[in-house]
Amino acid sequence: MLLNHIWGLYAHPKDEWHTIDDHHESLSYSLTHLAFIALIPSVCTFISATMIGWTFGTQNTIMMTTGSALVMSVGMYFTLIGGVFALAYLTFWMAKTFGASPTFTQSMELAAYTATPLFMTGLAVLYPEPVFLMMVGLAGLAYSVYLLYSGVPIIMHIPEERGFIYASSVVTCGLILLVCIMVGSVIVWSWGIGPVYTY
């Protein structure tokens, strides 16, 4: 069922949202999906950083030490999961403002499945060309936003007009959350826990 949801979100997103809404699996099911999908960017980044390397316009290939890449990948994994949790909470917190009364499980489903395309773009890190990564990242972000706009009215059981405003608010919160994560990463790196490169 897990892989069916992933395929359905790409093949027929609105129908899949209705399927998710009809079944409403447990919170643990959404967490299992999130734990699985968050592995993709984390593992791919580790492989890319230690076995493939990045050039980014230079002649030298930049690679990280195994220990440093492992710390970064584990940190990325838990940060991604924490970010989705925070987005789910914000979605749940804002619900009454837009006339919705979801359970936290519904909010978690919406956040986890909306993040799926964005997390799956982590596969692109295995071909670390900057232009390619940017294009794939933008495509994944755009599709995640589309899933959010199409899923909010269905999961939250509200009219599409109100769902559009609700989803726009969630996108805004998501962008603020992303900036906070980036700032937090810079702060952590300034403490000396940044990446260590091989030469």
Side-chain angles (χ1 to χ4, degrees), residues 3 55 59 63 92 97 120 183:
L3 294 178
T55 54
Q59 292 183 345
M63 299 178 74
F92 180 72
T97 305
M120 290 189 74
V183 171

Side-chain angles (χ1 to χ4, degrees), residues 111-127:
Y113 290 119
T114 294
T116 296
L118 190 58
F119 285 9
M120 290 189 74
T121 61
L123 291 168
V125 180
L126 297 176
Y127 181 68

